[in-house]
Amino acid sequence: VTATDADEDMNGHVKYSIKKISEKASKILQLHSDTGVITLVRSLDFEEADYYELEVQARDGGELFDTAEVE
């Protein structure tokens, strides 16, 4: 995921966090808090689940934030 902020210095630095995640997805997906990159912790097994979802929040150095659902 990607978010941008036009502010300068620390107020423009965006950090990412998982706001909501299913138990199955939490065992497979990992979010890098500085880059927003979502990676697999282990291989997908479509016999366990055919899709995974999570809600990611992007927050700037100030008070602004937004969320996005990822499936």
Side-chain angles (χ1 to χ4, degrees), residues 35-63:
T35 64
V37 172
I38 300 169
T39 55
L40 292 172
V41 175
R42 64 178 178 87
S43 298
L44 295 174
D45 183 348
F46 290 105
E47 291 180 5
E48 291 178 15
D50 57 354
Y51 76 97
Y52 299 90
E53 60 185 342
L54 63 150
E55 190 172 294
V56 176
Q57 184 177 76
R59 180 176 293 274
D60 71 357
E63 298 293 321

Side-chain angles (χ1 to χ4, degrees), residues 1-60:
V1 294
T2 302
T4 58
D5 188 325
D7 290 341
E8 294 181 13
D9 300 322
M10 289 306 294
N11 284 344
H13 182 70
V14 177
K15 298 283 271 184
Y16 302 91
S17 61
I18 295 175
K19 188 73 175 165
K20 180 180 169 185
I21 189 167
S22 68
E23 184 177 338
K24 287 181 184 180
S26 69
K27 295 178 181 177
I28 293 183
L29 302 172
Q30 182 177 359
L31 174 71
H32 190 281
S33 64
D34 288 324
T35 64
V37 172
I38 300 169
T39 55
L40 292 172
V41 175
R42 64 178 178 87
S43 298
L44 295 174
D45 183 348
F46 290 105
E47 291 180 5
E48 291 178 15
D50 57 354
Y51 76 97
Y52 299 90
E53 60 185 342
L54 63 150
E55 190 172 294
V56 176
Q57 184 177 76
R59 180 176 293 274
D60 71 357

